[in-house]
Amino acid sequence: MKESKSCDIDLSDFTECKNSTSGLFNYEVKSLQLSERGLSIFYCASFNGKVLLPRSPLPPDPNNANISVTMSSTMLREIITLSAKESSIQMNDLSAYITKVLYSSLPDNKVQATYWVGVNKYNESFAQGQTKILVSYVCKILEDKLVSNINIESFEHSMIPPDSMDELNNVMSAVMTKFISTIIEMSSLWNTPPGITSNPLNNAKAELLKSRDLQAAN
């Protein structure tokens, strides 16, 4: 709070559910703390009617920031899980669907992910695929929404049994394209907490931390 410009703060309804923008998440203020570093507001987020609990403590706020927001990795996990479910494809007599996703944050705004794909032929289990993918991303908060640009840097498909790879390569690529495009579409609906100041967080770069929490600051 030292050497900062003044701003308006409205606490008249901070115990009420605050959802000033439409989007994937609803927010409700859980607590408010005032310290020498500034004012901290802790929100509970819900998704599809389910309250999302952090899997671990949130990382500290960035130093020398006028305003910042940290959103739990649980929120990103819900978006990726939903995107995976909506990435199933049907191609002639083949159907493919993602069964599991693992991902980790890397330096320089990159994410390494591995996901597994089940493939059915004539409605019976036919093969099991795996894709390892490296993507780069740029995320910003604009008008209370997260705007994302994701680019595929490299990828590698594999298949069990291996001799089915030639037949299923196009299927695996179609799943990958749909998965990434769905994540981009879903993340564009990711609304941030509304805040209570007249100095909203806007045009701020958002970064995926090693903890897989998302953090942005101005």
Side-chain angles (χ1 to χ4, degrees):
M1 298 179 69
K2 297 177 181 179
E3 299 180 2
S4 62
K5 295 182 179 179
S6 63
C7 63
D8 297 329
I9 298 178
D10 180 10
L11 300 178
S12 60
D13 62 347
F14 94 72
T15 59
E16 298 179 7
C17 179
K18 297 174 73 72
N19 188 27
S20 61
T21 57
S22 60
L24 294 179
F25 300 101
N26 290 326
Y27 296 97
E28 184 175 354
V29 175
K30 180 180 180 182
S31 64
L32 182 148
Q33 296 179 4
L34 190 62
S35 70
E36 63 180 11
R37 294 195 63 191
L39 179 66
S40 297
I41 308 168
F42 297 88
Y43 293 88
C44 286
S46 60
F47 180 78
N48 285 340
K50 177 178 66 175
V51 176
L52 304 180
L53 300 177
R55 300 166 67 90
S56 59
L58 292 177
D61 298 322
N63 293 324
N64 302 320
N66 290 323
I67 182 170
S68 66
V69 62
T70 302
M71 292 176 284
S72 169
S73 61
T74 308
M75 301 170 72
L76 177 58
R77 186 171 179 265
E78 291 292 330
I79 288 178
I80 291 178
T81 298
L82 183 58
S83 297
K85 289 180 179 179
E86 295 189 359
S87 296
S88 301
I89 66 159
Q90 185 78 34
M91 190 176 292
N92 300 322
D93 54 1
L94 297 168
S95 60
Y97 50 94
I98 294 176
T99 60
K100 182 180 179 181
V101 181
L102 296 176
Y103 61 96
S104 59
S105 177
L106 300 177
D108 300 322
N109 287 10
K110 289 186 169 70
V111 174
Q112 178 74 59
T114 302
Y115 62 86
W116 288 260
V117 177
V119 181
N120 291 343
K121 190 172 186 177
Y122 301 116
N123 296 322
E124 295 185 358
S125 180
F126 178 65
Q128 297 292 324
Q130 182 187 84
T131 295
K132 295 181 179 180
I133 184 171
L134 176 67
V135 301
S136 59
Y137 69 91
V138 176
C139 292
K140 283 188 175 183
I141 294 176
L142 293 173
E143 298 181 355
D144 299 325
K145 289 292 196 310
L146 191 71
V147 178
S148 302
N149 184 25
I150 301 175
N151 293 308
I152 298 174
E153 299 288 323
S154 63
F155 65 90
E156 179 183 0
H157 301 313
S158 60
M159 191 67 61
I160 299 175
D163 58 8
S164 63
M165 190 70 248
D166 288 343
E167 180 180 0
L168 299 178
N169 187 62
N170 288 341
V171 173
M172 295 292 288
S173 293
V175 170
M176 180 180 66
T177 299
K178 189 172 184 181
F179 184 37
I180 296 300
S181 63
T182 304
I183 291 175
I184 295 172
E185 180 181 355
M186 294 293 296
S187 65
S188 70
L189 301 175
W190 186 337
N191 52 314
T192 61
I196 60 172
T197 76
S198 60
N199 180 28
L201 189 68
N202 196 34
N203 198 28
K205 180 181 177 182
E207 181 179 6
L208 188 64
L209 307 179
K210 286 186 178 180
S211 61
R212 293 180 295 183
D213 303 302
L214 197 70
Q215 190 172 79
N218 272 342

